[in-house]
Amino acid sequence: MVNSASSILAAGDNVTPLRALIYLAASQQEDGGFAQNFWINGEPYRRGVQLDEVAFPILLAWQLERQDALQGFDPYPMVLQAAGYLVRHGPVTQQERWEEASGYSPSTLASNIAALICAACFARGRHDEATAKSLEEYADFLESHVEAWTVTTDGTLVPTIKRHYIRILSASVDNPHPDENPDSSMIAITNRPPGSQRVFPAKQVVDAGFLELVRYGIRKPDDPVIVDSLRVVDAALKVDTPFGPCWHRYNNDGYGQREDGGPFTSGGQGRAWPLLTGERGHYELAAGHDVKPFIRAMEGFGSATGLLPEQVWDEPDRPDIYMRLGRPTGSAMPLMWADAEYVKLLRSVLDRKVFDLIPEVADRYLGGCHGHQLFEVWKPNRQVSRVKKGATLRIQMPAPFRLHWTNDEWHTAKDTLSSPTALGIKFVDIPMLRMQVTPVRFTFFWTASNQWEGRDYAVNIE
């Protein structure tokens, strides 16, 4: 929905996107999140959680704010609640943008980082420097871990390229001790045909979701890992059609027409998505390259009435089953996401810059003076076991507490009261000295209930 609304904004209509934002604010859940999808009255249909869908309304609100198009509507309560949800529940998302896998997703992380910086801008505009700083610090924590979580150093898809982005590092939202190693993680692909392989090494499954890092201004288009990852994506996912290039969602995808051309049931074969041609076009624009081939390709994929399908046929023509290379399959048409991407690509070409690029994000991460404090965050849903020397360990909890802690094996101990935030989150920061070798050990005294936690925790130094 937000992609559709922002494309309407790109086309010059400020009113409809504002109405969409107000509708989203009215549909926001009490905890600050948004349902995966919901009926028109706001009642959830499916109960999954996509953290990108929690971030997108913040991005739309900031786009409207920058264009002075809010017309008196104040989105800040919605923004603050959604940002708090991202900080409490991330960085693992229950579902990434394909609504299929749980874990650390490059595209989800990109939207979350961008949204938190936008939320910080809203807070600073209301002279709440403490909240703005807290949001920026959590965004910095995510940004500084993107490669560690989602880049393999042992890639095998292209023998000469070992380091590239993966589709997702699998992790469960219910596991507070996830394996954060992209080289050893496995991923299950549940839409595969019956009897076929369903579990693969994560380092062998790629998509182009990492391009969202360029779209929002978190990574440069000529970043070496971005460039190498595109080479891997092109080798594994690219399809050349009579109209131009198109890409599969990810390798080993089973969501699409079956091998015999029959419709997808419980398993099939992933086909090429015109949406991804638009996303690649936005990247090529950011890189200073010619975008016209991507626009022409998207137009060629469309129906006679100009509607863009979810998927196009990716094999030689099969007249016997009415399938032609580069033409719509039996998938959804229109896919509003694809139509929105096309409209925004046209606007981006007109402006000679990516429409979704957020200047405040680019200034922070691409400005050449990225010297922000390195954070490691420990919280109930991610009880990290290691922190780097020189970093700041942030202990983050939903209730007020006093932290009883030591960095010298309890020879001495300190007690630090948690600091509150407008996000409903309390925290204590512990700087890691560069000469420190002993772990940080700590426990909680819950001030509201006047009770001790009853167990100790430890974070080692690396």
Side-chain angles (χ1 to χ4, degrees):
M1 178 180 176
V2 169
N3 277 292
S4 298
S6 63
S7 73
I8 295 171
L9 186 64
D13 177 357
N14 292 349
V15 175
T16 304
L18 175 60
R19 293 177 65 187
L21 180 66
I22 294 171
Y23 170 72
L24 286 168
S27 304
Q28 189 174 28
Q29 298 179 320
E30 290 185 5
D31 61 2
F34 292 88
Q36 176 187 354
N37 41 43
F38 44 87
W39 300 104
I40 196 168
N41 66 356
E43 181 183 351
Y45 173 57
R46 292 197 180 105
R47 302 284 175 169
V49 175
Q50 295 178 229
L51 292 183
D52 55 356
E53 292 187 343
V54 179
F56 287 153
I58 302 176
L59 299 178
L60 178 60
W62 187 244
Q63 282 185 316
L64 289 164
E65 167 77 7
R66 285 186 57 83
Q67 296 201 23
D68 195 25
L70 287 170
Q71 298 183 21
F73 173 67
D74 182 10
Y76 190 55
M78 179 274 290
V79 166
L80 202 61
Q81 284 185 293
Y85 188 97
L86 294 176
V87 175
R88 288 193 306 275
H89 293 273
V92 171
T93 182
Q94 188 182 52
Q95 295 180 350
E96 32 72 275
R97 66 180 187 160
W98 302 126
E99 302 183 302
E100 296 172 352
S102 171
Y104 298 86
S105 156
S107 59
T108 300
L109 289 168
S111 67
N112 285 202
I113 294 165
L116 290 167
I117 296 301
C118 291
C121 292
F122 273 112
R124 188 164 283 115
R126 286 156 176 75
H127 309 291
D128 187 350
E129 183 61 29
T131 298
K133 186 171 183 288
S134 176
L135 288 164
E136 289 171 341
E137 287 170 344
Y138 192 81
D140 292 346
F141 155 65
L142 296 180
E143 184 271 338
S144 67
H145 286 71
V146 166
E147 283 81 7
W149 289 333
T150 65
V151 172
T152 180
T153 58
D154 190 31
T156 59
L157 295 176
V158 176
T160 58
I161 302 176
K162 294 295 184 183
R163 192 165 186 251
H164 61 78
Y165 283 94
I166 61 175
R167 174 194 166 196
I168 192 168
L169 170 62
S170 295
S172 169
V173 295
D174 298 321
N175 180 9
H177 306 286
D179 178 4
E180 296 182 342
N181 184 354
D183 292 338
S184 60
S185 176
M186 304 294 288
I187 180 173
I189 301 177
T190 58
N191 58 29
R192 301 272 295 163
S196 61
Q197 180 181 351
R198 293 196 170 203
V199 178
F200 300 84
K203 66 184 180 182
Q204 294 178 6
V205 181
V206 295
D207 78 351
F210 60 86
L211 291 182
E212 299 294 271
L213 294 162
V214 177
R215 176 187 291 263
Y216 296 125
I218 301 166
R219 291 291 180 270
K220 294 180 179 180
D222 61 354
D223 179 285
V225 184
I226 295 284
V227 173
D228 280 348
S229 299
L230 282 174
R231 292 171 59 197
V232 175
V233 161
D234 285 352
L237 308 179
K238 185 178 179 183
V239 177
D240 290 314
T241 80
F243 311 103
C246 202
W247 284 263
H248 295 130
R249 294 195 303 173
Y250 53 85
N251 51 322
N252 303 307
D253 186 8
Y255 175 59
Q257 245 71 11
R258 298 194 306 266
E259 187 175 354
D260 62 3
F264 173 82
T265 51
S266 60
Q269 183 173 320
R271 305 296 172 176
W273 287 56
L275 158 73
L276 301 176
T277 297
E279 290 189 349
R280 183 60 170 265
H282 271 110
Y283 166 80
E284 297 295 340
L285 176 66
H289 303 152
D290 184 14
V291 184
K292 294 185 184 67
F294 303 91
I295 294 175
R296 287 195 296 266
M298 292 191 80
E299 292 169 347
F301 301 145
S303 69
T305 55
L307 304 179
L308 287 169
E310 179 187 76
Q311 301 179 46
V312 295
W313 189 245
D314 58 352
E315 298 180 17
D317 293 354
R318 289 280 305 275
D320 57 315
I321 57 172
Y322 308 102
M323 294 293 177
R324 293 168 50 210
L325 179 61
R327 299 300 297 147
T329 64
S331 62
M333 187 170 66
L335 179 67
M336 295 299 292
W337 187 6
D339 284 346
E341 186 70 10
Y342 171 73
V343 171
K344 286 195 282 188
L345 184 57
L346 294 180
R347 174 62 186 268
S348 297
V349 170
L350 180 67
D351 293 344
R352 297 183 180 180
K353 62 180 180 180
V354 176
F355 180 75
D356 286 335
L357 180 76
I358 302 167
E360 293 80 5
V361 174
D363 288 346
R364 189 167 188 86
Y365 298 117
L366 306 182
C369 55
H370 183 18
H372 311 304
Q373 174 64 46
L374 178 63
F375 279 90
E376 190 59 79
V377 175
W378 189 105
K379 53 181 180 169
N381 65 328
R382 180 179 178 266
Q383 298 176 16
V384 65
S385 62
R386 295 183 177 277
V387 61
K388 292 182 178 179
K389 292 181 180 180
T392 294
L393 176 63
R394 172 161 291 181
I395 312 297
Q396 175 181 297
M397 299 298 285
F401 63 95
R402 185 173 74 239
L403 193 74
H404 185 64
W405 61 281
T406 180
N407 58 6
D408 61 5
E409 298 292 6
W410 298 116
H411 293 295
T412 62
K414 302 178 180 66
D415 288 277
T416 307
L417 281 174
S418 61
S419 299
T421 70
L423 305 172
I425 295 165
K426 287 74 179 174
F427 70 92
V428 166
D429 283 346
I430 304 176
M432 297 296 104
L433 303 177
R434 293 198 175 275
M435 68 286 296
Q436 186 173 336
V437 294
T438 55
V440 175
R441 301 187 187 277
F442 56 91
T443 190
F444 300 95
F445 180 79
W446 303 106
T447 55
S449 59
N450 200 36
Q451 290 182 327
W452 285 98
E453 170 75 358
R455 61 168 295 188
D456 287 358
Y457 300 91
V459 178
N460 294 310
I461 311 300
E462 64 177 20

